[in-house]
Amino acid sequence: MTSRRVILHVDMDAFFASVEERDRPELAGRPVIVGGRAEARGVVAAASYAARRFGVHSAMPMRTALRLCPEAVVMPPRLPRYREVSARIRAVFSRYTPLVEPLSLDEAYLDITESLGLFGGAEAIGRRIKADIRAETGLTASVGIGPNKLAAKIASDLDKPDGFVVAPDDLTAFLDALPVSRLPGVGRAAQAKLDRLGIRRVRELRLAPASRLEAAFGARAATRLAALARGEDNRPVTSDREAKSISHERTFAKDVEDAGILRASLLAAVEEVGFRLRRLGRTASGVELKLRYDDFRTITRHRKLAAPTDATDALWGAARQLLDASWSGRPVRLIGMGVDRLGERVSQPELFAAPSPRPRVDAAADAVRERFGAGVLRRAAALQKRDQR
Amino acid sequence: MHITVSRNNILGAVQRCQNVVERRHTVPILSNILLRASDDDLTASATDLEVGIRARVDASVQEAGGTTVAARKLFDVLKELDADADVELKTEDGFLRIASGRSRFKLATMAPDDFPDVQEESGGVAVRLDGADLAAMIASTSFAMSTDETRKYLTGTLFELDGDGRLNLVATDGHRLALMRRNLGQPVETCQSIVPRKAVVEIRKLCEDEPGQVELRIGERQIGLNAGGCTLVSKLIDARFPNYADVIPVNNPELATASRAELDQILRRIMIVANEFTHDVRLLLRPGEMVVSAHNTDQEQAEESLELDYAGPETEIGFNARYIRDVLGVMKGDAVRIHFRDGLSPVLLDESEDAAAQFVIMPMRI
C-alpha cells in the first residue's frame, strides 16, 4: 500500500536569533547568539547567519563561540516568546493540512498529499507557506518538498537560509551527488568512518557492498545507512491528533536537587501537556513521569487515573504524586511528563463533589495562551526565580 | 513445642493466615506464621500490622510452646503432604521438624517473642448474623471500592449500624456506589467504620467458609470477626466516609425495566469499539426500546437495541459501560430496573421495590 505521498519540511532560519533580531531592529546584521551564559556552561541555542560566518554554530559551548566571535551580541533565550511565534507558524501550517508533525519550535513535517488539489500543487503550497510566515512573523523559513520525510528534510537544508528546494520523485540522482554528511543521522563520527572506507558521496555509500558497511558499523546501522543512501523512508507524518500520547520534557542547564524547582518544572510541563490535550479535544486516563538523573539513568513511572480528564489540576495531582513517590533525591538532569490512554472529550463527573470551577480556569488560561503565547499566564507554583532556571 | 495434628485441619488454618501475610514486608518476622500449642489445640496467627488473623485447630499436644516459620514455605509443604495423614510438628534448635508418612522437613524458625500479637480491642458493638449473608453483602458491594490511594477514605467499605437495626455496607469510588442493607432483627447501637479493602476480602472468605453464624464487632479503631475457629481483626481507615445517603436518588421520575442478561450481553458487544480506557457508551431510552451505542477516536462504531419496559420521554445517558456491567454482574434476578431523571443526574439501579441492594452510577458527559 505505497501510495505516492508529498511531504513538506519547514525549517525556520536561525529561529531564536531571528526572533531576537526582529524584536530589536538595532541588532540587524550584527552577529547574534542566543544561548546560556558561558559561566554557567551555557551552549549556543541559535546563531544568526552573521555569527555563523565566524564559525559559530548551535550546540557549541558559549565559551568557544565567544572566542570565535568576540563581538557577538549574546542574548538569553526567551522560550515563551519563541513558543508564541512558533504557535503562529503552526497556525499557518494548519491552513494547508491537518497532518502536521512538529519536531521542535522551529521545524515541522507536513503531509500535504491530500491538499495538493486544493491549493494548486506542492510548489504552490510551499511558496504560500513561506510567504504567509514572512508576512505574519517577519521571519524567513526554508522549505523542502519530497516524496518522504528524508527527502523533504534534506531538501530544506540544501539552500538555507530562505531556501526552497523540491526533490524529484526519483531520489537516486538527487541524492547521489550529495556528500554523505547531508544525510540526517550521519554525524561527524559516522562521516569519519565512511571517509576511511573511501565513501564521501551518497552514490558511493549506495553502491558500497553491504559486508563492508556491516564490518564498519554493525548490521543494524549498516542497513539503516544503505536505506538512507537509497532515499528510503516510510515513516508517516503523525500529528498530535493521532498521537497515542502527549508529552513534554525539559533538560536543566544545571542538574537540579531542589524539590521546589523540580515541582515547578513539572507543573510547567503539566500545563503545556494539558493545553495540548484540550486543544486536541481529548482526555487522558494515564499519566507518566520521566526523570533522568545526573548519571543519565532514566526512570519512567506510570499511573492510571480513576477517570479520564483533560483538567490541568487532575493531571498535576497525579504527576506530583509520581514525583513524590519516585524521586530518589539524586540530582536531576531532565524532567518530563506525558499523558496517554487518550480518548474523546468525555468526563466522568463525581457523585459527591459540587461541579468544579476548574474547567473554566483551564479554558480561560488556554484562551490567553492561544492569543499571547505560553508563559504569559500560568499557575504561580510553576514560576521559578530567574536564577533557578 | 511438639504436636500432632490432622493435615487438613492445619492446612486450612495456615492457608487463612497465609492470605494475610504480605509477600514483601519490611519487618522480616511478618513473613512468618506464629504457631502456638497449648492444652488441646494449635493456634496459627499472622499479621501485616493492619490486618491480623488467628485460626485455632484441635491438636494432640505432647509439649506446649510456640515458634514462627515462613508462612509461604509452611503452606507449600503442608499442601504437598498426604491429605489423610497426620502431621507431627516439633521444634528443635532453631528449626521446625515436620514429619508425615515418610516425608521429613526441617524449616528455619524465628523466635516467637518478637512476633507482634494480634490484639483485640475491647468494647465496640457486636452483632451476630449468618456468615453466608455477610459474604453476600460484601460480594454485592466490594466491586465499587476505589483503588485510588489519593482518596484513602474510598479504598474500603463502610460498615454501618443504623438506627433502624440494620447493618449497611457501602462502597464507592466517587463515580458509582453500591449499598446493601440487612435487617438484624434487633436494635443496635449506631456506628460507622471504614474497613480497608484487604480486610473486606478476608472477611468475605472467612464467612463463605463458615456455615453458621458469625460475630462481627465494630469498635472505635478496629473491626473484628469471629467465624468458626477463626478470629480476624483489622485496623479501620481513619477518615470520614462521604454522606452516601445524599447521593442515592430517591425521587427519580423515570423507570425502565430491562432483561439483565440481555443488557449485559449487549454492553459486552458494544464495548468492543468503545474507547478502551473510558468505556463510554450511550444509552438512548425511548418508549419500548433502548439503543446502546459507542464509537471511538478511530471512527469505529457499534449500535444495538433491545426491547424494554419504558414509557417515558426520550432520554440519552452516557455511561462507563464497565460500571453498569459490574452492577449487572452482582445482581441475581432476571430484570434490572433503571431509575433516572435526565442525562446528567445520578441513576439508580435495583432489582425490585424491596431489594436490599441499591446501586448508583453517575453518568458520563459524552
mmCIF file of all heavy atoms in Angstrom, chain A residues 9-54:
data_model
loop_
_atom_site.group_PDB
_atom_site.id
_atom_site.type_symbol
_atom_site.label_atom_id
_atom_site.label_comp_id
_atom_site.label_asym_id
_atom_site.label_seq_id
_atom_site.Cartn_x
_atom_site.Cartn_y
_atom_site.Cartn_z
ATOM 1 N N HIS A 9 8.914 19.797 4.433
ATOM 2 C CA HIS A 9 9.644 20.048 5.680
ATOM 3 C C HIS A 9 9.929 21.543 5.763
ATOM 4 O O HIS A 9 10.469 22.128 4.824
ATOM 5 C CB HIS A 9 10.957 19.260 5.710
ATOM 6 C CG HIS A 9 11.748 19.470 6.967
ATOM 7 N ND1 HIS A 9 12.905 20.212 7.006
ATOM 8 C CD2 HIS A 9 11.531 19.041 8.232
ATOM 9 C CE1 HIS A 9 13.368 20.231 8.258
ATOM 10 N NE2 HIS A 9 12.563 19.531 9.018
ATOM 11 N N VAL A 10 9.506 22.144 6.867
ATOM 12 C CA VAL A 10 9.745 23.574 7.050
ATOM 13 C C VAL A 10 10.724 23.739 8.194
ATOM 14 O O VAL A 10 10.530 23.175 9.273
ATOM 15 C CB VAL A 10 8.434 24.319 7.389
ATOM 16 C CG1 VAL A 10 8.699 25.814 7.499
ATOM 17 C CG2 VAL A 10 7.387 24.052 6.330
ATOM 18 N N ASP A 11 11.771 24.501 7.945
ATOM 19 C CA ASP A 11 12.787 24.732 8.969
ATOM 20 C C ASP A 11 13.030 26.233 9.029
ATOM 21 O O ASP A 11 13.437 26.842 8.041
ATOM 22 C CB ASP A 11 14.069 23.978 8.574
ATOM 23 C CG ASP A 11 15.055 23.904 9.722
ATOM 24 O OD1 ASP A 11 14.691 24.316 10.843
ATOM 25 O OD2 ASP A 11 16.190 23.441 9.492
ATOM 26 N N MET A 12 12.739 26.826 10.169
ATOM 27 C CA MET A 12 12.930 28.273 10.302
ATOM 28 C C MET A 12 14.431 28.582 10.308
ATOM 29 O O MET A 12 15.226 27.838 10.873
ATOM 30 C CB MET A 12 12.285 28.769 11.598
ATOM 31 C CG MET A 12 10.783 28.525 11.687
ATOM 32 S SD MET A 12 9.865 29.307 10.350
ATOM 33 C CE MET A 12 10.207 31.046 10.691
ATOM 34 N N ASP A 13 14.806 29.681 9.700
ATOM 35 C CA ASP A 13 16.226 30.033 9.602
ATOM 36 C C ASP A 13 16.687 30.680 10.899
ATOM 37 O O ASP A 13 16.157 31.714 11.296
ATOM 38 C CB ASP A 13 16.443 30.987 8.426
ATOM 39 C CG ASP A 13 16.011 30.357 7.100
ATOM 40 O OD1 ASP A 13 16.253 29.141 6.925
ATOM 41 O OD2 ASP A 13 15.414 31.063 6.267
ATOM 42 N N ALA A 14 17.695 30.083 11.534
ATOM 43 C CA ALA A 14 18.281 30.626 12.775
ATOM 44 C C ALA A 14 17.188 31.172 13.681
ATOM 45 O O ALA A 14 17.217 32.332 14.095
ATOM 46 C CB ALA A 14 19.299 31.714 12.443
ATOM 47 N N PHE A 15 16.217 30.295 13.991
ATOM 48 C CA PHE A 15 14.939 30.754 14.537
ATOM 49 C C PHE A 15 15.050 31.698 15.736
ATOM 50 O O PHE A 15 14.598 32.841 15.685
ATOM 51 C CB PHE A 15 14.076 29.541 14.889
ATOM 52 C CG PHE A 15 12.720 29.891 15.426
ATOM 53 C CD1 PHE A 15 11.840 30.676 14.690
ATOM 54 C CD2 PHE A 15 12.299 29.430 16.669
ATOM 55 C CE1 PHE A 15 10.584 30.990 15.191
ATOM 56 C CE2 PHE A 15 11.046 29.737 17.164
ATOM 57 C CZ PHE A 15 10.195 30.519 16.419
ATOM 58 N N PHE A 16 15.687 31.223 16.823
ATOM 59 C CA PHE A 16 15.722 32.053 18.027
ATOM 60 C C PHE A 16 16.409 33.394 17.741
ATOM 61 O O PHE A 16 15.947 34.460 18.157
ATOM 62 C CB PHE A 16 16.465 31.359 19.178
ATOM 63 C CG PHE A 16 15.838 30.070 19.643
ATOM 64 C CD1 PHE A 16 16.478 29.283 20.596
ATOM 65 C CD2 PHE A 16 14.615 29.651 19.147
ATOM 66 C CE1 PHE A 16 15.915 28.104 21.038
ATOM 67 C CE2 PHE A 16 14.048 28.470 19.582
ATOM 68 C CZ PHE A 16 14.701 27.684 20.523
ATOM 69 N N ALA A 17 17.546 33.320 17.020
ATOM 70 C CA ALA A 17 18.309 34.537 16.730
ATOM 71 C C ALA A 17 17.491 35.470 15.849
ATOM 72 O O ALA A 17 17.509 36.693 16.030
ATOM 73 C CB ALA A 17 19.631 34.166 16.060
ATOM 74 N N SER A 18 16.741 34.893 14.903
ATOM 75 C CA SER A 18 15.944 35.732 14.008
ATOM 76 C C SER A 18 14.814 36.424 14.759
ATOM 77 O O SER A 18 14.480 37.571 14.465
ATOM 78 C CB SER A 18 15.358 34.890 12.868
ATOM 79 O OG SER A 18 16.393 34.258 12.170
ATOM 80 N N VAL A 19 14.233 35.713 15.732
ATOM 81 C CA VAL A 19 13.177 36.346 16.527
ATOM 82 C C VAL A 19 13.765 37.532 17.295
ATOM 83 O O VAL A 19 13.177 38.618 17.337
ATOM 84 C CB VAL A 19 12.529 35.334 17.500
ATOM 85 C CG1 VAL A 19 11.578 36.044 18.459
ATOM 86 C CG2 VAL A 19 11.796 34.255 16.728
ATOM 87 N N GLU A 20 14.942 37.328 17.879
ATOM 88 C CA GLU A 20 15.584 38.415 18.628
ATOM 89 C C GLU A 20 15.876 39.593 17.704
ATOM 90 O O GLU A 20 15.656 40.757 18.055
ATOM 91 C CB GLU A 20 16.875 37.929 19.292
ATOM 92 C CG GLU A 20 16.667 36.858 20.371
ATOM 93 C CD GLU A 20 15.784 37.339 21.527
ATOM 94 O OE1 GLU A 20 15.616 38.566 21.690
ATOM 95 O OE2 GLU A 20 15.238 36.490 22.262
ATOM 96 N N GLU A 21 16.384 39.311 16.525
ATOM 97 C CA GLU A 21 16.706 40.381 15.574
ATOM 98 C C GLU A 21 15.453 41.139 15.170
ATOM 99 O O GLU A 21 15.464 42.355 15.020
ATOM 100 C CB GLU A 21 17.348 39.793 14.307
ATOM 101 C CG GLU A 21 18.834 39.533 14.445
ATOM 102 C CD GLU A 21 19.449 39.101 13.122
ATOM 103 O OE1 GLU A 21 19.122 39.702 12.083
ATOM 104 O OE2 GLU A 21 20.225 38.139 13.129
ATOM 105 N N ARG A 22 14.379 40.378 14.970
ATOM 106 C CA ARG A 22 13.165 41.049 14.540
ATOM 107 C C ARG A 22 12.582 41.904 15.664
ATOM 108 O O ARG A 22 12.058 42.978 15.444
ATOM 109 C CB ARG A 22 12.128 40.027 14.083
ATOM 110 C CG ARG A 22 11.100 40.666 13.175
ATOM 111 C CD ARG A 22 9.804 39.981 13.270
ATOM 112 N NE ARG A 22 9.374 39.843 14.663
ATOM 113 C CZ ARG A 22 8.256 39.275 15.011
ATOM 114 N NH1 ARG A 22 7.492 38.740 14.090
ATOM 115 N NH2 ARG A 22 7.911 39.205 16.283
ATOM 116 N N ASP A 23 12.714 41.408 16.903
ATOM 117 C CA ASP A 23 12.173 42.170 18.030
ATOM 118 C C ASP A 23 13.032 43.403 18.340
ATOM 119 O O ASP A 23 12.560 44.329 18.985
ATOM 120 C CB ASP A 23 12.081 41.284 19.280
ATOM 121 C CG ASP A 23 10.920 40.304 19.188
ATOM 122 O OD1 ASP A 23 10.167 40.396 18.190
ATOM 123 O OD2 ASP A 23 10.773 39.449 20.087
ATOM 124 N N ARG A 24 14.309 43.366 17.962
ATOM 125 C CA ARG A 24 15.202 44.507 18.208
ATOM 126 C C ARG A 24 15.901 44.859 16.910
ATOM 127 O O ARG A 24 16.987 44.344 16.622
ATOM 128 C CB ARG A 24 16.277 44.126 19.227
ATOM 129 C CG ARG A 24 15.709 43.805 20.569
ATOM 130 C CD ARG A 24 16.705 42.972 21.342
ATOM 131 N NE ARG A 24 16.044 42.403 22.507
ATOM 132 C CZ ARG A 24 16.362 42.742 23.756
ATOM 133 N NH1 ARG A 24 17.325 43.571 24.007
ATOM 134 N NH2 ARG A 24 15.709 42.204 24.753
ATOM 135 N N PRO A 25 15.323 45.746 16.156
ATOM 136 C CA PRO A 25 15.865 46.062 14.830
ATOM 137 C C PRO A 25 17.314 46.543 14.898
ATOM 138 O O PRO A 25 18.059 46.372 13.934
ATOM 139 C CB PRO A 25 14.937 47.174 14.325
ATOM 140 C CG PRO A 25 13.693 47.044 15.131
ATOM 141 C CD PRO A 25 14.090 46.478 16.450
ATOM 142 N N GLU A 26 17.727 47.104 16.044
ATOM 143 C CA GLU A 26 19.106 47.607 16.119
ATOM 144 C C GLU A 26 20.140 46.487 16.011
ATOM 145 O O GLU A 26 21.320 46.737 15.787
ATOM 146 C CB GLU A 26 19.306 48.411 17.419
ATOM 147 C CG GLU A 26 19.350 47.605 18.704
ATOM 148 C CD GLU A 26 17.962 47.351 19.315
ATOM 149 O OE1 GLU A 26 16.948 47.559 18.612
ATOM 150 O OE2 GLU A 26 17.907 46.934 20.489
ATOM 151 N N LEU A 27 19.695 45.235 16.167
ATOM 152 C CA LEU A 27 20.636 44.112 16.085
ATOM 153 C C LEU A 27 20.861 43.652 14.644
ATOM 154 O O LEU A 27 21.739 42.834 14.396
ATOM 155 C CB LEU A 27 20.111 42.918 16.892
ATOM 156 C CG LEU A 27 19.969 43.099 18.401
ATOM 157 C CD1 LEU A 27 19.392 41.836 19.018
ATOM 158 C CD2 LEU A 27 21.323 43.408 19.014
ATOM 159 N N ALA A 28 20.063 44.164 13.710
ATOM 160 C CA ALA A 28 20.095 43.646 12.343
ATOM 161 C C ALA A 28 21.516 43.637 11.796
ATOM 162 O O ALA A 28 22.252 44.617 11.907
ATOM 163 C CB ALA A 28 19.179 44.489 11.455
ATOM 164 N N GLY A 29 21.916 42.526 11.245
ATOM 165 C CA GLY A 29 23.221 42.419 10.601
ATOM 166 C C GLY A 29 24.349 42.105 11.572
ATOM 167 O O GLY A 29 25.408 41.646 11.162
ATOM 168 N N ARG A 30 24.136 42.340 12.870
ATOM 169 C CA ARG A 30 25.214 42.035 13.821
ATOM 170 C C ARG A 30 25.189 40.547 14.161
ATOM 171 O O ARG A 30 24.154 39.902 14.057
ATOM 172 C CB ARG A 30 25.022 42.866 15.098
ATOM 173 C CG ARG A 30 25.166 44.371 14.830
ATOM 174 C CD ARG A 30 25.031 45.159 16.106
ATOM 175 N NE ARG A 30 26.029 44.767 17.112
ATOM 176 C CZ ARG A 30 26.024 45.239 18.370
ATOM 177 N NH1 ARG A 30 25.084 46.071 18.757
ATOM 178 N NH2 ARG A 30 26.950 44.857 19.220
ATOM 179 N N PRO A 31 26.348 40.023 14.572
ATOM 180 C CA PRO A 31 26.329 38.602 14.947
ATOM 181 C C PRO A 31 25.570 38.411 16.261
ATOM 182 O O PRO A 31 25.975 38.956 17.288
ATOM 183 C CB PRO A 31 27.806 38.236 15.104
ATOM 184 C CG PRO A 31 28.539 39.523 15.218
ATOM 185 C CD PRO A 31 27.688 40.620 14.642
ATOM 186 N N VAL A 32 24.465 37.702 16.193
ATOM 187 C CA VAL A 32 23.630 37.487 17.376
ATOM 188 C C VAL A 32 23.711 36.016 17.776
ATOM 189 O O VAL A 32 23.578 35.126 16.930
ATOM 190 C CB VAL A 32 22.159 37.867 17.100
ATOM 191 C CG1 VAL A 32 21.279 37.523 18.295
ATOM 192 C CG2 VAL A 32 22.049 39.343 16.748
ATOM 193 N N ILE A 33 23.976 35.780 19.045
ATOM 194 C CA ILE A 33 23.980 34.405 19.552
ATOM 195 C C ILE A 33 22.967 34.313 20.691
ATOM 196 O O ILE A 33 22.998 35.114 21.620
ATOM 197 C CB ILE A 33 25.369 33.988 20.095
ATOM 198 C CG1 ILE A 33 26.432 34.145 19.006
ATOM 199 C CG2 ILE A 33 25.326 32.548 20.593
ATOM 200 C CD1 ILE A 33 27.836 33.783 19.477
ATOM 201 N N VAL A 34 22.073 33.333 20.597
ATOM 202 C CA VAL A 34 21.140 33.081 21.685
ATOM 203 C C VAL A 34 21.626 31.845 22.430
ATOM 204 O O VAL A 34 21.942 30.829 21.801
ATOM 205 C CB VAL A 34 19.713 32.850 21.159
ATOM 206 C CG1 VAL A 34 18.777 32.474 22.302
ATOM 207 C CG2 VAL A 34 19.207 34.092 20.449
ATOM 208 N N GLY A 35 21.724 31.957 23.735
ATOM 209 C CA GLY A 35 22.156 30.780 24.480
ATOM 210 C C GLY A 35 22.438 31.096 25.926
ATOM 211 O O GLY A 35 22.241 32.226 26.384
ATOM 212 N N GLY A 36 22.884 30.079 26.656
ATOM 213 C CA GLY A 36 23.170 30.237 28.077
ATOM 214 C C GLY A 36 24.510 30.920 28.278
ATOM 215 O O GLY A 36 25.379 30.907 27.408
ATOM 216 N N ARG A 37 24.670 31.515 29.458
ATOM 217 C CA ARG A 37 25.893 32.242 29.745
ATOM 218 C C ARG A 37 27.088 31.290 29.778
ATOM 219 O O ARG A 37 26.974 30.146 30.219
ATOM 220 C CB ARG A 37 25.761 32.934 31.105
ATOM 221 C CG ARG A 37 24.815 34.129 31.078
ATOM 222 C CD ARG A 37 24.599 34.668 32.468
ATOM 223 N NE ARG A 37 24.053 33.634 33.337
ATOM 224 C CZ ARG A 37 24.427 33.438 34.591
ATOM 225 N NH1 ARG A 37 25.377 34.188 35.111
ATOM 226 N NH2 ARG A 37 23.884 32.495 35.314
ATOM 227 N N ALA A 38 28.235 31.811 29.313
ATOM 228 C CA ALA A 38 29.448 30.995 29.269
ATOM 229 C C ALA A 38 29.803 30.494 30.665
ATOM 230 O O ALA A 38 30.247 29.367 30.832
ATOM 231 C CB ALA A 38 30.596 31.808 28.678
ATOM 232 N N GLU A 39 29.537 31.340 31.686
ATOM 233 C CA GLU A 39 29.927 30.964 33.052
ATOM 234 C C GLU A 39 29.100 29.790 33.560
ATOM 235 O O GLU A 39 29.531 29.057 34.445
ATOM 236 C CB GLU A 39 29.729 32.141 34.028
ATOM 237 C CG GLU A 39 30.365 33.452 33.597
ATOM 238 C CD GLU A 39 29.434 34.250 32.693
ATOM 239 O OE1 GLU A 39 28.491 34.854 33.212
ATOM 240 O OE2 GLU A 39 29.642 34.247 31.462
ATOM 241 N N ALA A 40 27.891 29.639 33.033
ATOM 242 C CA ALA A 40 27.024 28.563 33.512
ATOM 243 C C ALA A 40 27.067 27.390 32.542
ATOM 244 O O ALA A 40 26.049 26.768 32.272
ATOM 245 C CB ALA A 40 25.602 29.082 33.691
ATOM 246 N N ARG A 41 28.219 27.085 32.008
ATOM 247 C CA ARG A 41 28.468 26.086 30.968
ATOM 248 C C ARG A 41 27.362 26.113 29.909
ATOM 249 O O ARG A 41 26.825 25.108 29.478
ATOM 250 C CB ARG A 41 28.708 24.670 31.519
ATOM 251 C CG ARG A 41 27.731 24.140 32.509
ATOM 252 C CD ARG A 41 27.987 22.678 32.777
ATOM 253 N NE ARG A 41 26.735 22.098 33.276
ATOM 254 C CZ ARG A 41 26.611 20.923 33.844
ATOM 255 N NH1 ARG A 41 27.636 20.156 33.966
ATOM 256 N NH2 ARG A 41 25.446 20.481 34.254
ATOM 257 N N GLY A 42 27.036 27.350 29.510
ATOM 258 C CA GLY A 42 25.981 27.552 28.521
ATOM 259 C C GLY A 42 26.418 27.095 27.139
ATOM 260 O O GLY A 42 27.609 27.019 26.840
ATOM 261 N N VAL A 43 25.419 26.753 26.351
ATOM 262 C CA VAL A 43 25.715 26.388 24.968
ATOM 263 C C VAL A 43 24.920 27.297 24.037
ATOM 264 O O VAL A 43 23.955 27.936 24.437
ATOM 265 C CB VAL A 43 25.362 24.916 24.666
ATOM 266 C CG1 VAL A 43 26.256 23.978 25.427
ATOM 267 C CG2 VAL A 43 23.904 24.655 24.953
ATOM 268 N N VAL A 44 25.344 27.323 22.782
ATOM 269 C CA VAL A 44 24.679 28.141 21.779
ATOM 270 C C VAL A 44 23.376 27.456 21.378
ATOM 271 O O VAL A 44 23.387 26.303 20.959
ATOM 272 C CB VAL A 44 25.590 28.317 20.548
ATOM 273 C CG1 VAL A 44 24.855 29.078 19.441
ATOM 274 C CG2 VAL A 44 26.870 29.038 20.945
ATOM 275 N N ALA A 45 22.268 28.151 21.557
ATOM 276 C CA ALA A 45 20.981 27.601 21.137
ATOM 277 C C ALA A 45 20.717 27.965 19.683
ATOM 278 O O ALA A 45 20.130 27.186 18.937
ATOM 279 C CB ALA A 45 19.858 28.127 22.026
ATOM 280 N N ALA A 46 21.138 29.144 19.279
ATOM 281 C CA ALA A 46 20.978 29.570 17.890
ATOM 282 C C ALA A 46 21.952 30.695 17.613
ATOM 283 O O ALA A 46 22.293 31.468 18.505
ATOM 284 C CB ALA A 46 19.544 30.056 17.640
ATOM 285 N N ALA A 47 22.407 30.749 16.376
ATOM 286 C CA ALA A 47 23.325 31.813 15.967
ATOM 287 C C ALA A 47 22.811 32.424 14.678
ATOM 288 O O ALA A 47 22.367 31.698 13.785
ATOM 289 C CB ALA A 47 24.732 31.251 15.763
ATOM 290 N N SER A 48 22.842 33.751 14.589
ATOM 291 C CA SER A 48 22.397 34.396 13.355
ATOM 292 C C SER A 48 23.406 34.082 12.250
ATOM 293 O O SER A 48 24.536 33.658 12.522
ATOM 294 C CB SER A 48 22.274 35.904 13.564
ATOM 295 O OG SER A 48 23.566 36.483 13.647
ATOM 296 N N TYR A 49 22.979 34.315 11.015
ATOM 297 C CA TYR A 49 23.887 33.982 9.909
ATOM 298 C C TYR A 49 25.145 34.824 9.966
ATOM 299 O O TYR A 49 26.225 34.368 9.590
ATOM 300 C CB TYR A 49 23.155 34.063 8.568
ATOM 301 C CG TYR A 49 22.289 32.834 8.394
ATOM 302 C CD1 TYR A 49 20.984 32.797 8.879
ATOM 303 C CD2 TYR A 49 22.830 31.676 7.838
ATOM 304 C CE1 TYR A 49 20.228 31.647 8.790
ATOM 305 C CE2 TYR A 49 22.081 30.517 7.741
ATOM 306 C CZ TYR A 49 20.768 30.510 8.220
ATOM 307 O OH TYR A 49 20.042 29.361 8.138
ATOM 308 N N ALA A 50 25.027 36.049 10.503
ATOM 309 C CA ALA A 50 26.217 36.891 10.654
ATOM 310 C C ALA A 50 27.207 36.233 11.614
ATOM 311 O O ALA A 50 28.420 36.260 11.397
ATOM 312 C CB ALA A 50 25.814 38.273 11.162
ATOM 313 N N ALA A 51 26.676 35.595 12.687
ATOM 314 C CA ALA A 51 27.559 34.922 13.641
ATOM 315 C C ALA A 51 28.119 33.637 13.057
ATOM 316 O O ALA A 51 29.249 33.244 13.349
ATOM 317 C CB ALA A 51 26.797 34.634 14.935
ATOM 318 N N ARG A 52 27.307 32.972 12.239
ATOM 319 C CA ARG A 52 27.770 31.705 11.668
ATOM 320 C C ARG A 52 28.988 31.899 10.773
ATOM 321 O O ARG A 52 29.793 30.987 10.626
ATOM 322 C CB ARG A 52 26.648 31.039 10.868
ATOM 323 C CG ARG A 52 25.550 30.517 11.771
ATOM 324 C CD ARG A 52 24.489 29.780 10.990
ATOM 325 N NE ARG A 52 23.292 29.651 11.818
ATOM 326 C CZ ARG A 52 22.310 28.798 11.564
ATOM 327 N NH1 ARG A 52 22.373 28.014 10.505
ATOM 328 N NH2 ARG A 52 21.270 28.741 12.373
ATOM 329 N N ARG A 53 29.111 33.094 10.191
ATOM 330 C CA ARG A 53 30.274 33.351 9.336
ATOM 331 C C ARG A 53 31.572 33.274 10.131
ATOM 332 O O ARG A 53 32.637 33.042 9.568
ATOM 333 C CB ARG A 53 30.138 34.720 8.656
ATOM 334 C CG ARG A 53 29.274 34.649 7.393
ATOM 335 C CD ARG A 53 29.452 35.862 6.507
ATOM 336 N NE ARG A 53 28.770 37.048 7.026
ATOM 337 C CZ ARG A 53 27.451 37.263 6.867
ATOM 338 N NH1 ARG A 53 26.717 36.401 6.194
ATOM 339 N NH2 ARG A 53 26.912 38.332 7.381
ATOM 340 N N PHE A 54 31.474 33.439 11.457
ATOM 341 C CA PHE A 54 32.672 33.313 12.296
ATOM 342 C C PHE A 54 32.920 31.860 12.709
ATOM 343 O O PHE A 54 33.835 31.577 13.459
ATOM 344 C CB PHE A 54 32.521 34.169 13.561
ATOM 345 C CG PHE A 54 32.549 35.644 13.292
ATOM 346 C CD1 PHE A 54 31.406 36.339 12.964
ATOM 347 C CD2 PHE A 54 33.763 36.338 13.349
ATOM 348 C CE1 PHE A 54 31.436 37.698 12.706
ATOM 349 C CE2 PHE A 54 33.793 37.705 13.095
ATOM 350 C CZ PHE A 54 32.627 38.392 12.766
#
